[in-house]
Amino acid sequence: MVIDRKQLARTKVADLQSGRSAYAETREMTALIKKELQSLNIDVHEDVTSFGSWFIPKTQDQP
């Protein structure tokens, strides 16, 4: 089974737009998500751990 990494990143960004958190296990996926977020001008909180990165959507009342 072939996994399209760019499509997976777009799916995770769609989750963020819907108010759900997204997890990226690899640096490559983290970079793809960040690139997509930047192109859509979406602001999120990123929690970087030694295992990967969590992207958490910011709410209206968060700075």
Side-chain angles (χ1 to χ4, degrees):
M1 183 170 115
V2 177
I3 298 173
D4 183 357
R5 288 178 182 86
K6 289 183 181 180
Q7 181 58 42
L8 184 59
R10 286 190 287 269
T11 301
K12 290 180 182 278
V13 170
D15 287 343
L16 288 163
Q17 288 176 308
S18 297
R20 294 186 299 266
S21 297
Y23 178 70
E25 204 169 70
T26 65
R27 290 182 189 175
E28 178 189 11
M29 185 56 61
T30 299
L32 288 170
I33 292 171
K34 284 182 177 181
K35 184 177 179 181
E36 188 72 19
L37 290 170
Q38 186 177 28
S39 72
L40 296 173
N41 199 28
I42 298 173
D43 193 24
V44 298
H45 173 76
E46 182 184 3
D47 185 16
V48 181
T49 70
S50 58
F51 299 105
S53 295
W54 278 98
F55 294 91
I56 304 161
K58 288 189 176 179
T59 59
Q60 297 293 339
D61 57 329
Q62 287 180 321

